[in-house]
Amino acid sequence: MKPREVSYESIWAKAVDDQESVARKSGNSAEPWEAQACRLGFGIYKTRCFCERLAREFFSPWYQPTAVEAGRLYLLNKHHWIPAEVKNLDIVALMAFLHEELTQMRLTKEEWEPVRNWTSHMDCYQLLAESAPLP
């Protein structure tokens, strides 16, 4: 049994789509709503990428965690929490608890590709590119 395939394009599209209504409603921003949705979705996307990496790392014949389960397991191990403290954490909560790891994380070329394809023409590109893989 091998870890499941990951579609970074799908993860990126969902992260941005989930932020679209928030971005459209905040009409007071000088930033176009599309760029704002991408910028807001980027944190969720990086969290999912981080957790997907963990899911591959924690994968075993007896345990095949989802990305969110792997993120919870990481927090259990890191902070010596008990399972009840993490069982209801969703991807947004994980993003808050993993903030330090996420700010230091660089995306792989495969993880970066959908972001680059989607945002290379947007004003937010340079900000997002700080997490891009090193050349």
Side-chain angles (χ1 to χ4, degrees), residues 23-131:
R24 284 182 183 268
K25 288 178 185 172
S26 70
N28 58 358
S29 175
E31 182 179 38
W33 71 264
E34 295 93 341
Q36 190 174 10
C38 289
R39 190 174 43 77
L40 293 172
F42 192 60
I44 297 294
Y45 179 71
K46 279 188 81 171
T47 305
R48 277 293 306 271
C49 290
F50 183 81
C51 291
E52 290 291 349
R53 292 178 188 183
L54 292 172
R56 285 191 302 276
E57 180 182 327
F58 297 152
F59 184 88
S60 67
W62 58 89
Y63 184 54
Q64 298 86 41
T66 65
V68 171
E69 290 169 343
R72 292 175 187 152
L73 180 58
Y74 176 84
L75 291 174
L76 281 170
N77 292 331
K78 179 180 179 183
H79 297 294
H80 308 289
W81 291 344
I82 59 173
E85 292 174 310
V86 299
K87 72 177 181 180
N88 293 321
L89 295 180
D90 63 5
I91 198 74
V92 175
L94 287 172
M95 182 175 60
F97 286 116
L98 296 171
H99 182 76
E100 182 178 353
E101 288 87 343
L102 296 173
T103 57
Q104 296 172 10
M105 176 182 150
R106 302 208 53 92
L107 297 174
T108 65
K109 288 180 182 179
E110 185 180 18
E111 293 165 343
W112 173 246
E113 191 65 19
V115 179
R116 185 186 65 76
N117 289 342
W118 200 312
T119 64
S120 61
H121 65 285
M122 296 181 179
D123 291 340
C124 65
Y125 179 78
Q126 287 302 322
L127 181 62
L128 303 183
E130 292 174 11
S131 290

